[in-house]
Amino acid sequence: MKKRVLGKDLEVSAVGLGCMGMSHAYGPAADKEEMAELLSRAVELGYTFFDTAEVYGTPDNPHDNEELLGKALKPYRDQIVLASKCGIRFNETSDAVNKPLIPDGRPETVKKSVEGSLRRLRTDHLDLYYIHRIDRNIPIEETAGAMKELIEAGKITHWGISEADEATIRRAHAVCPVTAVQNRYSMMYRDYEALFPVLEELQIGFVAFSPLANGFLTAKYNKESKFEKETDYRSAMPQFTPEAIDKNQEMIRYITDMADQKNATPAQLSLAWMMTKKPWIVPIPGTREYGRLLENAQAAEVELTEQEIKDIDQMLDTVPMSEVFGGSKVESK
């Protein structure tokens, strides 16, 4: 697979693998042996960028995903870039399927969390470590200072921020250079395109999570699609309602028709669209299936012209579009 560079020097595969869905938010956790095999095959396909977090798990095993990756990817550790995150916990008193998040950006939390992640991921360092959400009660400079100490100690080599705005990025970057910002981004959620100028200015990479709008842009869902209400976030996402399926038909038809012209799939077109925009954008779609893993990897080979990107953007600006899931609610402590 082609490579891209995040920040000044973190080389990763052009498409990364978001591993959350193997353990969290997309139904019950998948079989570990099957997912270990899938992760091994991902390495064979050229994936070198694997994304997890300390909270990607289940109530019974909150750290399921890091443990899965630690065991499955240990044989390939020197070939890959491992990214994890700290700084949130779920409000377990909520009965929502996508429970509210409680951020914690205290330096002591960051330093304690990295030790657990290193142990579970069976490594002596993380290549990229994010603060998972911004804690408005803690100055970002304090969190950035803790990350700087972890870099100096050799426990991480790069750090990043997830779901951050421009002011926060600038303040954090002034304390310790930020390598990547990981924000929600897809054809259905383009709010953070406003950040592109500052990311270019500061030489910070953009890691796009939910790049297929939680799978909706694969064009494989319809009114008959069913989701486990207790464990699958899609059961509560607005883009998957019957009304949204109808409202989004024109957009899906456009994407499907253009993908056919490119001998690609709608998912590949969606990923190629964002990768063509900037050379420092890296999507991290997730999957539990080898076919999807291969399909997403091959998106790096789909070529779009500048005019085609403009045409797609114009379509997205003008066709009817439903609401799309914008993330779990963030609560203060």
Side-chain angles (χ1 to χ4, degrees), residues 133-147:
R133 289 293 184 272
I134 306 304
D135 184 348
R136 301 299 174 187
N137 296 314
I138 302 295
I140 192 61
E141 289 84 356
E142 293 186 19
T143 306
M147 293 293 190

Side-chain angles (χ1 to χ4, degrees), residues 23-42:
S23 307
H24 179 81
Y26 287 82
D31 180 83
K32 271 196 166 65
E33 288 188 13
E34 291 179 9
M35 292 303 97
E37 174 65 20
L38 190 68
L39 288 162
S40 178
R41 298 187 78 179

Side-chain angles (χ1 to χ4, degrees), residues 146-159 176-177:
M147 293 293 190
K148 184 175 182 180
E149 290 182 36
L150 292 180
I151 291 173
E152 290 169 348
K155 294 184 178 181
I156 67 174
T157 59
H158 304 79
W159 85 286
C176 183

Side-chain angles (χ1 to χ4, degrees), residues 6-7 10 49 51 82-87 105 110 126-134 140 143-148 150-151 156-164 168-169 172-173 176-183 199 203-207:
L6 297 172
L10 186 60
F49 188 30
D51 182 271
L82 266 181
S84 193
K85 313 178 197 74
C86 66
V110 173
L126 292 172
D127 303 293
L128 181 57
Y129 197 43
Y130 298 95
I131 187 71
H132 208 152
R133 289 293 184 272
I134 306 304
I140 192 61
T143 306
M147 293 293 190
K148 184 175 182 180
L150 292 180
I151 291 173
I156 67 174
T157 59
H158 304 79
W159 85 286
I161 307 178
S162 188
E163 293 286 84
T168 303
I169 293 167
H173 192 75
C176 183
V178 175
T179 291
V181 167
Q182 183 179 137
N183 287 358
L199 298 181
Q203 201 173 340
I204 298 171
F206 187 96
V207 176

Side-chain angles (χ1 to χ4, degrees), residues 12 50 98 108 161 182 217 237 247 252:
V12 297
F50 295 84
N98 51 331
E108 57 266 35
I161 307 178
Q182 183 179 137
L217 293 169
M237 290 182 180
K247 190 170 187 177
I252 292 296

Side-chain angles (χ1 to χ4, degrees), residues 102-123:
I102 301 173
D104 184 352
R106 294 174 296 169
E108 57 266 35
T109 299
V110 173
K111 293 174 185 177
K112 181 181 178 182
S113 293
V114 77
E115 299 298 339
S117 290
L118 291 173
R119 183 177 66 254
R120 290 185 292 270
L121 288 164
R122 305 189 186 192
T123 184

